[in-house]
Amino acid sequence: MVRLPYLTALTTLFSYGLLFAFGQMRDFFRKILDLWKSKNLQGYAPICLGLEDFYTRRLYLRIQDCFNRPIASAPDAWIDVVERYSKDSNKTLHRTSKINKCLNLGSYNYLGFAAADEYCTPRVIESLKQYSPSTCSARVDGGTTKLHAELEEVVARFVRKPAAILFGMGYATNSAIIPALIGKGGLIISDSLNHNSIVNGARGSGATVRVFQHNSAAHLEEVLREQIAEGQPRTHRPWKKIIVIIEGIYSMEGELCKLPEIIAVCKKYKAYTYLDEAHSIGAIGKSGRGVCELLGVDTADMDIMMGTFTKSFGSCGGYIAASKEIIQHLKNTCPAHFYATSMSPPAAQQVISAIKVVLGEDGSNRGAQKLAQIRDNSNFFRSELHKMGFEVLGDNDSPVMPIMLYNPAKIPAFSRECLRRNLAVVTVAFPATPLLLARARICISASHTREDMIKALEVISKVGDLVGIKYFPVEPQKHLTDKIQKKLE
Amino acid sequence: MASSAMLVTTAALDWVSAAFDAPLARAVVFGIHIDGHLVVEMLLIAVILFQLSRKSYKHPKKPLTEKEIDDLCEEWVPEPLCPPISEEKQFHTPTLESAAAPHTIVNGKEVVNFASANYLGLIGHEKIINSCIGSLEKYGVGSCGPRAFYGTIDVHLDCEKKIANFLGTPDSIIYSYGISTIFSVIPAFCKKGDIIVADEGVHWGVQNGLYLSRSTVVYFKHNDMASLQSTLEKLTRGNKRAEKLRRYIVVEAVYQNSGQVAPLDEIIRLKEKYRFRVILDENHSFGVLGNSGRGLAEYYGVPIEKIDIITAGMGNSLATDGGFCTGSVRVVDHQRLSSSGYVFSASLPPYLATAAISAVDYLEENPSILATLKNNIALLRKGLSDVAGLEVSSSPQSPIVFLKLKKSRGSQDKDLQVLEKIVSRVLHEDSVFLVTSKRSTLDKCRLPVGIRIFVSAGHSESDILKAVDSLKRVAALELE
């Protein structure tokens, strides 16, 4: 967990307080100026009431240029960021034709499949010619092509589960599948930092939702014992079933799930486990099979394994892998399978080809190289950041590393200064993180070379000094120790 | 009984005051004469105060011991994660071996495809495929990130502009999945306490959006304007509070569940009378209705700005994937930070955005394609007007021709079984691929099920006649 330094917390709160006060003042004047305008509503309630969009208007718009930056290339190691300008102090942004070639530390291109690939791209184009971009039909109607059937089989084999089912969007995979698994009278115990798609899916299911402290098996056990003993609220009937939902890598923390401990607790209390591997599948593990492989957990212990194709495989969509019975049940009930347009066939082909590369079935060892490269890159980058004194979250081997910024003013400062030095980084603030814990997030890719890494580190170090986010003491520099060694010799 | 108790108490009190009277006789403190009476009263006040200060009586709490919790946990038996699967609930979906164009291959046999909502016949269109190839080579397949974090590719912005220009709205926003568009848009605008009036026949995506919004949802009878009016009247008349709340009407342009077309002119009249906003789902009407395919508003000649929020999937007439929402700048900008399906999801693969742009271009250049589609629909409806045991229940303009049983077998499941049998025979005996309107068990729609025939401009006259003949023949065998 993050431990917010006392002074930083104080300055951060002060900054937000100031922004809030100014925002309120501006709102006050706006209200006076808009008094005559409100009559134009003619009896409609305003689309946003009072404070609902205060954050957007008064805080977000000031630094809008740090987000939604358009790019004009594939999201590969280097990207062409389109320059934008604003004439009304950031309220609206306009594109220019100028581009800025930047090193990309923002995209989830873990294995480097985002750009054209010698094995995948020709096959994708072939599939596009054969199947067109879309089937215009749901999976259960006329939206199942041979590619979909093949991909389901390939994915099941890859994650080592008996069967799998596909969806055209990762977000919808979670939000449409959870209601098909559990309903009223069921209990979902969810990690406190789970992704919004899980939160929405759990809410949409009608089941009771409880939260356990992030990654804490002890607290999970406490919640489980309490809930099983209490039963359903008011009626005290025993729960129909309990599903514990966790993620493989938490995308905003870069942390790996403490899977062995959590699985042991779930097994002990007969709770079902649902693992969301959106960021971990393909990116970690010896053969890219995700967090189970990395932490030595048998996939048979997982009841439901979910993952997406957006990240490591450079495509779109998501999957659920589970036992044959569960997959059959989902195929009979899941709304996304019934009503949503099936996954685009060329995108399915991209995943099939990418998995084949990862498994070495393309007849080369590029997959193994990519996996070694991302692991190497991540660990190198993380240890260097630590040495420079940044507060970096997350575990070793994880390609996601957040650098804490805290103060709201440091968000745009870090982002803009990096961009000026041709480095595209992602800064994350509320609502994706708690208000006080704004951060920059680095996503490492296998397509980054060592030179790229060193350049990025130089820039981040320089900007880090400028913005003042090296919250920890700097470790003795390497060249210093070298000098000392030389002297000794 | 009570009076004797009173007597005893009074006697006891009198005795106590008398007992204190004697020793305290003539004791005066600060000019107050202290006697037994005062002492008794002070005592009573003390007792009352003492009682008041005590907590009210509660059952003594006996928390479960660790041992008991262990036993409870031991005893608890969860239900299986999924119920046992019954054979008749399973659907046998054919696997396509080529593109889902008007003619496709199933089981090695060429069939006529009426299962894809490929209304304009754009699947397999060379120009669109070529534009996709160009896009694939430049941008790769996926966007590898949400829109906020370098997942905004320039073609996304171009596509948003293109759609807005085509429809004549100020701005639009693209989602990466058709069905998630509507269930993200509704909760972005409707919050707890707001009022939504929705048609009872809306598809699952809308139902899910309504549920997630936590607003007060009132349903009106399917496509029945009298029912809508009475619902609106009931909600607003004499209800001063309702004026302060956001009020929405949620309807579909062409109902996926019935093929009915919503009477937009009437809806707009009611909306303006009762001051509701309209959210219109144009999944099956965008690119189909109206003289140039601009959807329901064009068909009814209603200015598009009268509809507050329009959403549509691009997986139907545009033959790509994803969805969009369009409306005023305020409506669109609000979603960019508060619509969960937009903020928290990876963006649409760029080649699909390119395909959407090319499809709209194509539609703009060839509006005659809509006339072909219209003719095809009319031809099919004419042919199906006298099929044994089945009747066409969709609106004449709808590209979904909906056939339902004249006589229901009693339940949706039984109806579906009968229809499934017809559809399967039509496919295997006559190579015409039709689909029934299957429903997920989570779907709350209770409209009758039927056979859904998706007509395309790519179908030839002989394709349509073939489907009509086959349906007539099989329906006669199965339903008579």
Side-chain angles (χ1 to χ4, degrees):
Chain A
M1 284 304 287
V2 197
R3 270 207 318 263
L4 188 57
Y6 186 68
L7 189 69
T8 318
L10 222 60
T11 52
T12 309
L13 274 174
F14 176 75
S15 310
Y16 276 112
L18 203 65
L19 283 165
F20 188 79
F22 268 99
Q24 283 294 338
M25 246 153 73
R26 293 180 64 181
D27 265 14
F28 174 73
F29 287 115
R30 193 180 79 148
K31 220 182 234 169
I32 294 174
L33 289 173
D34 282 3
L35 216 55
W36 63 275
K37 248 193 213 164
S38 62
K39 280 170 198 130
N40 293 353
L41 281 173
Q42 297 165 339
Y44 291 95
I47 248 180
C48 296
L49 293 172
L51 285 178
E52 270 177 6
D53 63 341
F54 178 81
Y55 180 82
T56 317
R57 278 184 289 114
R58 298 301 179 211
L59 279 74
Y60 172 76
L61 281 188
R62 286 166 178 269
I63 57 168
Q64 207 194 163
D65 60 305
C66 300
F67 306 97
N68 299 310
R69 282 187 191 135
I71 62 174
S73 67
D76 200 17
W78 287 82
I79 51 176
D80 297 334
V81 179
V82 178
E83 283 182 21
R84 294 183 292 181
Y85 69 94
S86 174
K87 281 188 202 155
D88 47 5
S89 51
N90 245 2
K91 263 182 206 145
T92 50
L93 291 162
H94 306 278
R95 277 187 285 165
T96 62
S97 54
K98 264 191 270 174
I99 55 165
N100 191 0
K101 202 166 179 62
C102 292
L103 180 61
N104 180 9
L105 292 179
S107 297
Y108 308 132
N109 171 28
Y110 299 131
L111 292 184
F113 282 113
D117 183 272
E118 55 188 271
Y119 183 81
C120 303
T121 310
R123 282 168 178 75
V124 171
I125 290 177
E126 199 45 53
S127 302
L128 176 69
K129 285 179 183 158
Q130 197 186 345
Y131 289 99
S132 278
S134 173
T135 62
C136 295
S137 188
R139 280 297 304 279
V140 83
D141 292 337
T144 305
T145 66
K146 269 171 121 177
L147 287 178
H148 294 98
E150 185 186 351
L151 179 55
E152 282 180 352
E153 187 255 323
V154 168
V155 166
R157 192 157 52 87
F158 182 64
V159 300
R160 296 191 169 126
K161 273 284 184 190
I165 178 175
L166 309 176
F167 298 96
M169 178 198 194
Y171 183 94
T173 309
N174 273 331
S175 62
I177 214 83
I178 298 174
L181 288 172
I182 193 165
K184 230 176 160 207
L187 174 68
I188 293 172
I189 304 184
S190 166
D191 189 286
S192 60
L193 295 180
N194 272 348
H195 189 252
N196 180 281
S197 57
I198 298 177
V199 176
N200 259 343
R203 206 198 283 165
S205 71
T208 310
V209 184
R210 293 281 177 274
V211 171
F212 71 97
Q213 277 163 20
H214 173 57
N215 234 350
S216 158
H219 189 239
L220 172 65
E221 180 164 13
E222 206 177 291
V223 173
L224 270 168
R225 285 175 69 87
E226 189 191 308
Q227 290 299 331
I228 296 175
E230 282 279 312
Q232 298 182 30
R234 301 192 59 229
T235 60
H236 296 289
R237 277 191 209 149
W239 294 107
K240 286 185 180 159
K241 50 191 156 192
I242 299 178
I243 300 184
V244 174
I245 307 184
I246 43 184
E247 286 186 38
I249 290 182
Y250 291 88
S251 61
M252 288 299 159
E253 316 297 313
E255 281 174 10
L256 294 172
C257 173
K258 293 205 171 86
L259 203 55
E261 293 91 332
I262 288 175
I263 291 298
V265 172
C266 290
K267 261 190 163 173
K268 188 173 164 197
Y269 292 95
K270 291 169 282 196
Y272 299 112
T273 40
Y274 183 114
L275 175 66
D276 176 342
E277 291 215 82
H279 285 266
S280 52
I281 193 69
I284 53 174
K286 198 165 156 277
S287 56
R289 287 187 162 90
V291 71
C292 283
E293 189 181 46
L294 185 74
L295 302 174
V297 174
D298 187 357
T299 52
D301 289 341
M302 307 298 314
D303 293 292
I304 313 272
M305 294 174 76
M306 178 271 174
T308 62
F309 304 130
T310 332
K311 282 111 192 174
S312 306
F313 306 117
S315 180
C316 67
Y319 66 84
I320 297 279
S323 70
K324 283 212 164 84
E325 294 75 37
I326 293 174
I327 295 303
Q328 193 56 50
H329 168 69
L330 292 177
K331 286 189 172 172
N332 290 342
T333 52
C334 180
H337 195 71
F338 276 69
Y339 306 123
T341 312
S342 65
M343 188 173 166
S344 171
Q349 177 63 52
Q350 162 79 11
V351 184
I352 297 174
S353 311
I355 290 182
K356 283 192 175 153
V357 172
V358 172
L359 291 177
E361 285 172 14
D362 62 329
S364 76
N365 62 346
R366 287 200 303 134
Q369 274 172 5
K370 277 172 184 287
L371 283 161
Q373 180 82 27
I374 186 172
R375 194 188 155 111
D376 215 38
N377 278 354
S378 308
N379 290 342
F380 168 72
F381 207 81
R382 184 180 296 277
S383 68
E384 289 299 313
L385 284 178
H386 271 299
K387 278 184 207 156
M388 289 174 186
F390 288 105
E391 188 174 357
V392 186
L393 306 185
D395 295 309
N396 266 347
D397 282 358
S398 152
V400 184
M401 43 202 88
I403 302 174
M404 298 309 294
L405 301 173
Y406 301 115
N407 292 66
K410 290 178 182 174
I411 303 168
F414 187 78
S415 179
R416 287 171 190 159
E417 286 301 325
C418 283
L419 189 70
R420 247 185 32 187
R421 293 171 171 80
N422 291 349
L423 188 67
V425 291
V426 162
T427 47
V428 198
F430 184 81
T433 66
L435 197 59
L436 295 188
L437 302 180
R439 60 199 69 176
R441 187 180 57 177
I442 310 281
C443 290
I444 298 298
S445 162
S447 58
H448 291 134
T449 59
R450 192 41 76 93
E451 293 79 61
D452 291 342
M453 302 269 89
I454 290 169
K455 179 195 171 317
L457 284 165
E458 275 168 8
V459 172
I460 290 178
S461 177
K462 222 181 278 169
V463 176
D465 285 329
L466 202 67
V467 179
I469 50 169
K470 292 184 174 171
Y471 291 103
F472 290 134
V474 181
E475 273 179 34
Q477 296 260 315
K478 211 177 173 192
H479 60 263
L480 275 177
T481 45
D482 283 353
K483 264 186 204 162
I484 295 166
Q485 265 184 350
K486 266 181 200 161
K487 266 186 193 168
L488 285 173
E489 276 162 21
Chain B
M1 223 3 230
S3 60
S4 66
M6 285 280 281
L7 282 175
V8 173
T9 331
T10 333
L13 285 175
D14 282 346
W15 182 81
V16 173
S17 45
F20 277 98
D21 264 347
L24 289 172
R26 278 185 296 282
V28 177
V29 179
F30 298 123
I32 298 168
H33 191 91
I34 294 178
D35 56 359
H37 218 299
L38 197 67
V39 173
V40 169
E41 276 161 4
M42 293 302 279
L43 263 173
L44 283 176
I45 287 171
V47 168
I48 289 168
L49 283 179
F50 173 69
Q51 285 293 349
L52 277 179
S53 69
R54 290 213 322 169
K55 279 187 189 147
S56 57
Y57 178 78
K58 265 190 198 150
H59 271 291
K61 243 194 185 162
K62 276 189 224 148
L64 295 170
T65 60
E66 286 298 301
K67 172 84 177 49
E68 281 168 324
I69 295 179
D70 280 341
D71 289 346
L72 280 169
C73 291
E74 193 70 32
E75 274 167 30
W76 180 65
V77 186
E79 279 179 10
L81 204 47
C82 65
I85 287 154
S86 55
E87 192 51 43
E88 74 259 26
K89 269 254 144 189
Q90 283 192 39
F91 300 111
H92 299 283
T93 314
T95 309
L96 308 189
E97 287 152 35
S98 74
H103 289 257
T104 182
I105 298 169
V106 173
N107 290 333
K109 234 171 32 178
E110 187 177 309
V111 300
V112 186
N113 182 11
F114 285 96
S116 291
N118 168 29
Y119 302 130
L120 302 179
L122 294 180
I123 289 184
H125 197 281
E126 206 178 334
K127 230 174 162 182
I128 290 173
I129 291 184
N130 285 339
S131 71
C132 284
I133 294 176
S135 184
L136 270 175
E137 280 166 349
K138 184 171 180 201
Y139 301 107
V141 179
S143 63
C144 286
R147 285 291 292 268
F149 306 147
Y150 303 103
T152 305
I153 317 277
D154 49 6
V155 286
H156 289 135
L157 301 172
D158 294 340
C159 184
E160 285 173 354
K161 212 188 267 170
K162 181 94 222 171
I163 285 169
N165 284 345
F166 178 66
L167 286 175
T169 48
D171 203 358
S172 72
I173 173 170
I174 304 190
Y175 285 78
S176 53
Y177 204 35
I179 202 169
S180 72
T181 311
I182 186 76
F183 75 64
S184 302
V185 168
I186 295 178
F189 291 101
C190 314
K191 303 275 182 278
K192 205 170 180 172
D194 295 342
I195 300 174
I196 304 179
V197 178
D199 189 287
E200 64 177 4
V202 289
H203 67 84
W204 178 82
V206 182
Q207 292 170 23
N208 193 31
L210 296 174
Y211 183 83
L212 289 175
S213 73
R214 301 179 182 195
S215 310
T216 314
V217 183
V218 185
Y219 289 97
F220 65 94
K221 265 203 204 127
H222 181 52
N223 221 13
D224 180 346
M225 289 305 110
S227 166
L228 173 61
Q229 172 150 22
S230 71
T231 312
L232 297 180
E233 179 74 41
K234 234 183 277 168
L235 282 170
T236 46
R237 191 201 295 157
N239 190 350
K240 276 273 163 218
R241 244 191 82 239
E243 277 174 24
K244 296 259 156 52
L245 300 172
R246 284 170 292 198
R247 305 171 298 276
Y248 293 92
I249 300 173
V250 179
V251 284
E252 276 179 68
V254 174
Y255 288 91
Q256 193 172 311
N257 283 326
S258 71
Q260 293 284 326
V261 173
L264 187 69
D265 44 357
E266 186 67 4
I267 292 171
I268 295 294
R269 192 183 67 77
L270 290 173
K271 154 212 147 87
E272 285 180 341
K273 182 171 172 200
Y274 294 99
R275 306 259 183 264
F276 273 63
R277 287 192 175 89
V278 171
I279 301 180
L280 178 69
D281 188 34
E282 293 231 46
N283 256 333
H284 297 277
S285 61
F286 175 73
V288 175
L289 292 185
N291 287 333
S292 55
R294 289 180 168 80
L296 195 64
E298 190 191 22
Y299 177 74
Y300 277 102
V302 172
I304 195 128
E305 56 275 9
K306 296 224 170 188
I307 312 171
D308 302 271
I309 300 167
I310 295 176
T311 69
M314 305 196 287
N316 300 322
S317 57
L318 295 187
T320 159
D321 211 342
F324 66 84
C325 174
T326 184
S328 65
V329 172
R330 183 140 172 72
V331 160
V332 170
D333 279 351
H334 178 67
Q335 291 171 54
R336 296 202 192 267
L337 211 58
S338 49
S339 175
S340 56
Y342 177 85
V343 176
F344 294 102
S345 160
S347 56
L348 186 71
Y351 74 92
L352 292 174
T354 310
I357 297 174
S358 320
V360 175
D361 278 341
Y362 180 79
L363 182 57
E364 278 179 329
E365 285 158 19
N366 304 284
S368 63
I369 199 167
L370 293 165
T372 318
L373 176 61
K374 244 179 245 166
N375 287 341
N376 282 352
I377 297 170
L379 188 65
L380 184 68
R381 285 179 65 92
K382 199 172 141 234
L384 294 176
S385 56
D386 58 337
V387 180
L390 292 170
E391 60 182 344
V392 177
S393 67
S394 55
S395 304
Q397 315 83 17
S398 156
I400 304 175
V401 175
F402 201 87
L403 273 178
K404 68 172 189 192
L405 288 170
K406 275 184 184 149
K407 247 197 277 160
S408 168
R409 296 290 190 276
S411 75
Q412 276 193 8
D413 281 353
K414 280 184 195 151
D415 287 355
L416 207 56
Q417 266 176 34
V418 174
L419 295 168
E420 271 291 308
K421 211 165 165 201
I422 296 176
V423 164
S424 143
R425 282 189 68 174
V426 168
L427 176 64
H428 292 118
E429 293 168 16
D430 297 327
S431 298
V432 175
F433 185 17
L434 306 176
V435 284
T436 56
S437 64
K438 306 177 189 76
R439 299 242 166 93
S440 151
T441 42
L442 298 174
D443 194 336
K444 293 192 188 72
C445 175
R446 289 288 159 263
L447 297 180
V449 292
I451 298 177
R452 252 196 305 229
I453 307 175
F454 296 94
V455 185
S456 163
H459 287 130
S460 67
E461 203 176 313
S462 64
D463 292 340
I464 289 175
L465 294 179
K466 191 175 173 190
V468 171
D469 290 343
S470 169
L471 256 175
K472 273 186 179 160
R473 188 181 68 78
V474 176
L477 291 173
E478 286 287 331
L479 295 172
E480 270 177 7

